[in-house]
Amino acid sequence: MQIHTLPAHTRPREKLLNLGPDALSDAELLAIFLRTGVSGMNAIELAQSLLKQNHTLSNLFNASLSDFCTHKGLGEAKYVQLQAVLELSKRYLKERCQRDTLFSSPDAVSDYLSIQLRGLDHEVFMALYVDNQNRLIKDEILFRGTINAASVYPREVVKAALKYNAASLIFAHNHPSGIAEPSQADKLITKKLQNALALVDINVLDHLIVAGEQCISFAQRGLI
């Protein structure tokens, strides 16, 4: 059944306009993005099929160009559109972190870090430099690869924090394994950086680990 033949209140676009985006399912939101279906499937059915094949939105959104284009109804144009939407989301969340006091909108920080780090197949360790009003000054990837204490150079982190005139830092990294629990190496790195930054009166506010759909906070766990 084609979407235009459905009752008006069940069509994704009309439903969004009348009830807001929160009222739509993942498939309905994805159908709006897809705009059209393929032979034998309308846009909603195509969206449902894609979600079923990929299991999660994250898997679909993080697919490589070649993997993305193997799906019926998807090609380079849709891939480009999707990547543009994802990048706009990242920039929007970054603007919120820069504009707002971080502790007044902790969900924005978690969301921003999650969208930056989720789905990567390698480990990335980031620093967020924060001013004395708890607003984001800059974020920076410190290193890529397997994380261990030898990989981190506290002197370089301190130099960068002073360069950006940061009052505090938030660290974040991902666990491609999907296991969010902090390792002993994660704890050692955090303590090592805390001690180095304390020498120049810079605080470490938090260290977050992104793994799959989870985002674990050292501060909430009492580890900082």
Side-chain angles (χ1 to χ4, degrees):
M1 181 180 292
Q2 295 183 336
I3 287 180
H4 73 269
T5 65
L6 296 172
H9 69 280
T10 66
R11 300 173 198 162
R13 291 184 185 180
E14 286 79 357
K15 190 174 177 180
L16 187 150
L17 290 171
N18 291 328
L19 303 175
D22 289 348
L24 276 66
S25 67
D26 290 347
E28 289 171 326
L29 290 170
L30 186 55
I32 292 176
F33 168 75
L34 293 171
R35 296 179 59 194
T36 59
V38 295
S39 178
M41 288 190 288
N42 63 32
I44 298 175
E45 292 166 336
L46 175 58
Q48 291 170 335
S49 174
L50 291 170
L51 290 173
K52 184 177 180 179
Q53 292 175 59
N54 288 275
H55 305 295
T56 67
L57 281 171
S58 295
N59 288 342
L60 177 61
F61 290 172
N62 290 311
S64 65
L65 173 60
S66 57
D67 289 340
F68 186 85
C69 293
T70 60
H71 296 295
K72 185 179 181 181
L74 301 183
E76 287 188 3
K78 282 286 188 288
Y79 179 81
V80 169
Q81 291 172 13
L82 180 59
Q83 293 307 308
V85 169
L86 292 174
E87 184 60 28
L88 284 171
S89 298
K90 290 179 184 179
R91 296 184 188 190
Y92 164 70
L93 291 169
K94 187 171 184 176
E95 280 185 6
R96 283 185 61 188
C97 292
Q98 290 173 324
R99 183 189 67 236
D100 300 339
T101 300
L102 292 182
F103 284 140
S104 70
S105 57
D107 288 344
V109 182
S110 177
D111 289 345
Y112 175 63
L113 289 171
S114 294
I115 201 169
Q116 289 278 38
L117 299 178
R118 183 182 296 149
L120 296 178
D121 59 4
H122 59 281
E123 289 191 38
V124 168
F125 193 93
M126 291 182 65
L128 279 67
Y129 304 96
V130 179
D131 68 15
N132 57 14
Q133 295 182 11
N134 288 333
R135 292 175 303 197
L136 179 66
I137 301 170
K138 180 179 175 60
D139 60 29
E140 182 175 44
I141 293 176
L142 297 178
F143 65 88
R144 296 174 171 84
T146 303
I147 292 171
N148 57 64
S151 305
V152 179
Y153 301 96
R155 183 174 63 179
E156 297 304 315
V157 177
V158 171
K159 282 174 60 178
L162 293 172
K163 172 185 174 183
Y164 298 122
N165 197 28
S168 306
L169 271 76
I170 295 172
F171 296 109
H173 77 279
N174 63 315
H175 282 178
S177 65
I179 300 172
E181 287 301 312
S183 67
Q184 190 61 31
D186 297 334
K187 296 174 185 177
L188 288 172
I189 288 169
T190 305
K191 181 58 67 176
K192 187 177 179 180
L193 290 169
Q194 273 186 292
N195 292 340
L197 290 161
L199 295 174
V200 290
D201 295 322
I202 297 176
N203 296 320
V204 175
L205 299 178
D206 206 349
H207 183 169
L208 295 103
I209 299 175
V210 176
E213 302 300 316
Q214 300 181 73
C215 188
I216 300 297
S217 161
F218 274 47
Q220 290 180 347
R221 290 284 186 92
L223 298 173
I224 287 182

